[in-house]
Amino acid sequence: MLTKIFCKVDDFCKQFEPHLNRYLIEHCGRKRIRKQSLSVSEVATIVIMFHAKGYRCLKHFYINHVCKYGCKHFQGLVSYNRFVELMPKALMVLSAFLQIRYGKVSGISYIDSTGIAICEKSRALRHKVFKDEAGWGKPSRDCCIKLIFQKNSLF
């Protein structure tokens, strides 16, 4: 599974990165061109695997799974802190890759029905942003206004 995902991401990166670099703003000062120990496609693959494996904490996934079992797959494996620094460079590539991988839209969507806390009760009269869409609710901790999405409201 890892090899299959990496191959797809890497093939996409080879086509997408030249187009992306054309639109990036260049830095005016001295430019260092140093090869990264992990490529953008490797970083994107690790992020995809994190979501596919169902881990809740990226740090635990990286330390307990990638560092233990991924050493043979990723030759230039870096520390967790350095990996977190490399992630923003892979964000644009990862977003574009996932955008083209969408399936056919069927018209059926799933949303989270959890209420969104808007403001505290003491500030309710001053808060006018969601005046028509908000309603009173009582979460587990304290009373607050909750945004209730209705059929024809925000979506």
Side-chain angles (χ1 to χ4, degrees), residues 126-143:
R126 291 180 277 161
H127 192 77
K128 305 293 182 193
V129 175
F130 293 107
K131 188 174 107 177
D132 297 330
E133 288 87 12
W136 286 102
K138 184 150 176 76
S140 59
R141 284 189 277 159
D142 56 358
C143 194

Side-chain angles (χ1 to χ4, degrees), residues 44-124:
T45 302
I46 291 172
V47 172
I48 291 171
M49 290 303 295
F50 164 67
H51 290 287
K53 292 285 185 183
Y55 277 79
R56 300 182 96 190
C57 178
L58 178 64
K59 187 173 186 176
H60 291 288
F61 170 73
Y62 191 79
I63 292 170
N64 297 331
H65 191 81
V66 176
C67 289
K68 284 184 181 178
Y69 307 113
C71 291
K72 60 183 177 185
H73 299 292
F74 305 106
Q75 300 302 323
L77 211 53
V78 295
S79 67
Y80 172 73
N81 290 337
R82 180 66 182 139
F83 178 76
V84 172
E85 290 173 2
L86 293 174
M87 282 178 62
K89 294 178 183 174
L91 179 65
M92 182 65 78
V93 173
L94 187 60
S95 298
F97 176 73
L98 295 176
Q99 185 71 31
I100 66 163
R101 302 295 298 174
Y102 277 154
K104 183 180 176 186
V105 178
S106 64
I108 299 172
S109 301
Y110 296 96
I111 61 168
D112 185 13
S113 62
T114 306
I116 301 171
I118 302 294
C119 70
E120 295 177 12
K121 191 173 185 177
S122 60
R123 293 190 213 112

